[in-house]
Amino acid sequence: RVSRAIHGQLRIGELDLRPLRLGVGVRDVHLEIPEEGTGGLSFDLRAGEARLAWTGLVKLAARRIHLASLRLEGPSVDLHREFFDARRGRGHGREVPFAVRIDRARVVDGRVRYRDQELPIDAEATDVDLRGTWASYRRALVGEVALGGTITREPFREPLPIRVRSAFRLRETGVELFETHAEAPGVVADVERQVISWDEGTFVTARARVDADLAELRRCMTDDVPKLAGRVRGTVSWSQEAGPFQIRGRLHGDDVALDDIRVTNLDAYATLERGVLHLAEIDGEGYGGKIAGDVSVDFERPTKVTLDLRGRGLHAQRLLELARVELPLAAVVDADVRFRGSPAVPSSWNGSG
């Protein structure tokens, strides 16, 4: 009956019933929910224990499960975004076979892998450690979670390691993360609040303060990515609903460099979507004058750069040095520069100025 309710297959290697304590222990659990055209969903569990609350006995007939405690050791979940999209399209988006309340929850040595072919991205969380208790006034499981993990996608040359710790509130309709701190090479992010809702399809929204050392982050990227240097910080938000995942926000940079182009006191509005970083409304200083315009970096290999910059009051001598032209010239000029191409493929360069 459980397999039919979840539209999948459930296998339990060992089952230990403890009726006097309203408890059950399981080992070697495997759950699989297939979906045509996707990777499906799979769940494996090394060992687990659950105890039903005495007051929960009368609620079972109403399809309500009240657990006094739940402990999971070595749970492993594989998720595909395409799986949820396909099931939502077939009318499974709001199906919840049971309403669940858990008074105390503990997860040790957990693992979650999430793959999204549209982004594309492959994210894996390991060493998941979670503990939570039921908060009646919030009607949610409230607690803390810590994990390590990796993110695999271009332009990183290998899986990018991350560490995350966060408080959470888990409800039947979604999860809210807050006081979240995340670190990766060259990047620190403090997330004010992130909401992941699956009540009417999957919806993600968040807001965070970020601080990035571009040179350190660049060392994790493939060789075709332009040289990066400097530090940027700001507040960004990200969201995903029906459309593509998008990160956006206003950033400030100190002594930021893209290859040989260097700008100080940089302010720009940044958008990252489908692997393309776009800096708009650029306002900065460089080469003795003011620089404005737009820059786009497409990280699909080979990495491509588009520049549309306007300079006012620039020192001509410093511009000639940038172009590697040895010519003494004491002058102040205005200049517009447009460029498109892959820095690693000179034959693709196209520009004017």
Side-chain angles (χ1 to χ4, degrees):
R1 294 182 62 183
V2 174
S3 295
R4 288 197 300 270
I6 62 176
H7 307 282
Q9 299 176 347
L10 175 65
R11 184 180 71 246
I12 301 176
E14 182 180 322
L15 179 65
D16 179 17
L17 296 176
R18 305 158 188 170
L20 296 181
R21 299 182 64 242
L22 297 184
V24 61
V26 295
R27 301 187 70 86
D28 301 326
V29 177
H30 177 71
L31 168 67
E32 188 169 347
I33 304 178
E35 185 64 48
E36 185 177 356
T38 78
L41 179 148
S42 66
F43 172 80
D44 291 277
L45 178 66
R46 187 169 63 241
E49 297 179 356
R51 186 167 63 85
L52 189 69
W54 288 99
T55 57
L57 288 174
V58 297
K59 300 178 181 179
L60 290 176
R63 298 167 66 90
R64 298 168 61 190
I65 297 177
H66 181 183
L67 297 180
S69 63
L70 174 68
R71 179 181 176 86
L72 304 179
E73 298 179 6
S76 179
V77 184
D78 281 85
L79 307 169
H80 296 254
R81 180 191 173 187
E82 292 74 21
F83 166 83
F84 294 105
D85 290 344
R87 290 181 70 83
R88 184 166 62 247
R90 293 173 51 234
H92 293 305
R94 293 180 58 90
E95 287 190 14
V96 179
F98 308 101
V100 181
R101 166 178 168 174
I102 305 172
D103 290 342
R104 295 186 308 279
R106 185 79 171 93
V107 175
V108 294
D109 193 24
R111 171 191 168 274
V112 180
R113 185 178 183 186
Y114 174 78
R115 279 167 281 187
D116 188 327
Q117 294 180 2
E118 182 178 340
L119 283 176
I121 193 172
D122 187 335
E124 183 173 25
T126 57
D127 303 322
V128 177
D129 187 282
L130 177 150
R131 59 186 72 217
T133 57
W134 183 260
S136 297
Y137 71 102
R138 293 188 180 275
R139 299 186 61 82
L141 183 70
V142 178
E144 297 181 343
V145 61
L147 56 92
T150 58
I151 296 176
T152 303
R153 69 149 299 154
E154 294 180 344
F156 301 114
R157 66 174 73 250
E158 57 189 27
L160 185 73
I162 60 172
R163 296 293 306 178
V164 179
R165 66 174 185 272
S166 179
F168 71 87
R169 300 185 187 104
L170 177 63
R171 299 180 174 87
E172 294 176 8
T173 57
V175 61
E176 178 185 356
L177 303 175
F178 56 99
E179 298 177 4
T180 304
H181 181 79
E183 296 185 8
V187 180
V188 176
D190 289 290
V191 184
E192 299 171 6
R193 182 171 177 263
Q194 173 166 322
V195 176
I196 305 173
S197 172
W198 47 76
D199 185 31
E200 296 182 357
T202 305
F203 175 75
V204 179
T205 181
R207 180 180 173 89
R209 298 183 303 276
V210 298
D211 190 317
D213 182 331
L214 298 181
E216 183 176 355
L217 184 61
R218 171 62 182 81
R219 286 192 283 270
C220 302
M221 298 180 177
T222 53
D223 294 338
D224 60 300
V225 175
K227 292 182 294 183
L228 299 173
R231 181 176 292 275
V232 295
R233 58 188 179 276
T235 299
V236 301
S237 61
W238 58 85
S239 62
Q240 180 177 33
E241 191 172 10
F245 181 81
Q246 183 184 83
I247 301 175
R248 59 190 179 277
R250 187 160 292 280
L251 301 178
H252 176 80
D254 299 319
D255 201 21
V256 174
L258 175 67
D259 265 347
D260 294 328
I261 300 175
R262 188 173 295 273
V263 180
T264 60
N265 296 324
L266 169 71
D267 283 294
Y269 188 81
T271 304
L272 179 62
E273 182 178 338
R274 298 185 186 273
V276 179
L277 173 64
H278 183 64
L279 299 178
E281 303 172 17
I282 290 176
D283 181 14
E285 301 173 1
Y287 307 99
K290 300 287 292 183
I291 296 177
D294 302 279
V295 173
S296 291
V297 182
D298 185 344
F299 290 108
E300 183 178 354
R301 301 188 70 182
T303 301
K304 294 169 283 295
V305 175
T306 301
L307 304 177
D308 186 357
L309 298 176
R310 300 175 300 280
R312 298 295 179 261
L314 308 181
H315 290 181
Q317 181 65 48
R318 298 176 63 179
L319 292 179
L320 292 173
E321 293 172 355
L322 175 65
R324 296 179 175 83
V325 175
E326 296 183 4
L327 179 64
L329 181 61
V332 175
V333 299
D334 296 339
D336 294 345
V337 177
R338 295 175 180 84
F339 171 86
R340 178 176 176 80
S342 172
V345 185
S347 62
S348 69
W349 296 357
N350 183 22
S352 62

